[in-house]
Amino acid sequence: MATALPLLNAEPDAAACGRPVPAEALSDTRAAELATALKALADPTRLRLMSIVAASPDGEACACDLTEPVGLSQPTVSHHLKVLTAAGFLTRTKRGTWAYFRVTPGAVDRIAALLPR
Amino acid sequence: MATALPLLNAEPDAAACGRPVPAEALSDTRAAELATALKALADPTRLRLMSIVAASPDGEACACDLTEPVGLSQPTVSHHLKVLTAAGFLTRTKRGTWAYFRVTPGAVDRIAALLPR
């Protein structure tokens, strides 16, 4: 995933300052995907939820344990957990009444590796 | 910057499912700072601009070369460049008529290192 960024297909613009777009730049498609993933992370509550799950002793946290530390209602916390799960940053397992969450191994690293630097 | 995340000061909630908040979780303050930085990155145009600057032959790009590849007006591109510069991801140098941009060394890595994983 983190290799071989697609070539940018913009034409060099001889009428502008004269420097063509570097071939290694992110494509429109890749930039849009990356922005979507970053938007899922770019929320203080979601970052706190991710960090609480990540720091849980066995790497797993019950949804029932996640409302109190962030001080929000269960529906609001469920929404944030759903956004993180849909983006691939958390994985969800249902056991009995409750859903349990883990940080998806490598997901953050794959996004981080794609960031321009 | 990427070390010693502040301890979370929430009290363990004995009435909930019984698991206290892990001490290594992101604090509210740190999560808010991180979310602000990620929001600056979480935009397709800004990611493309960053990647074009990063991939420029000498690591520097003139603002005059950045409008055409993203297909947006100079004021719009200037706005995006200002957001990235304010967030510390780009550094700006004025020479003559034009401003030149470089990716700030280590800025993306510092943010990436703080992400929960």
Side-chain angles (χ1 to χ4, degrees), chain B residues 60-64 91-96 98-102:
Chain B
E60 187 174 76
C62 175
C64 62
T91 51
R92 179 182 182 278
T93 310
K94 192 91 190 290
R95 286 203 299 275
W98 290 103
Y100 293 80
F101 293 87
R102 291 181 171 274

Side-chain angles (χ1 to χ4, degrees), chain B residues 18-86:
Chain B
R19 186 169 298 168
V21 177
E24 300 81 5
L26 284 173
S27 69
D28 283 341
T29 307
R30 185 60 67 102
E33 290 168 357
L34 192 47
T36 299
L38 290 171
K39 276 176 191 155
L41 286 179
D43 176 277
T45 300
R46 289 199 285 275
L47 287 168
R48 291 222 40 229
L49 288 169
M50 280 271 288
S51 76
I52 293 166
V53 173
S56 294
D58 52 2
E60 187 174 76
C62 175
C64 62
D65 284 323
L66 294 170
T67 52
E68 188 276 337
V70 295
L72 296 169
S73 69
Q74 187 71 52
T76 302
V77 170
S78 290
H79 162 74
H80 287 304
L81 292 169
K82 192 172 283 187
V83 171
L84 288 167
T85 304

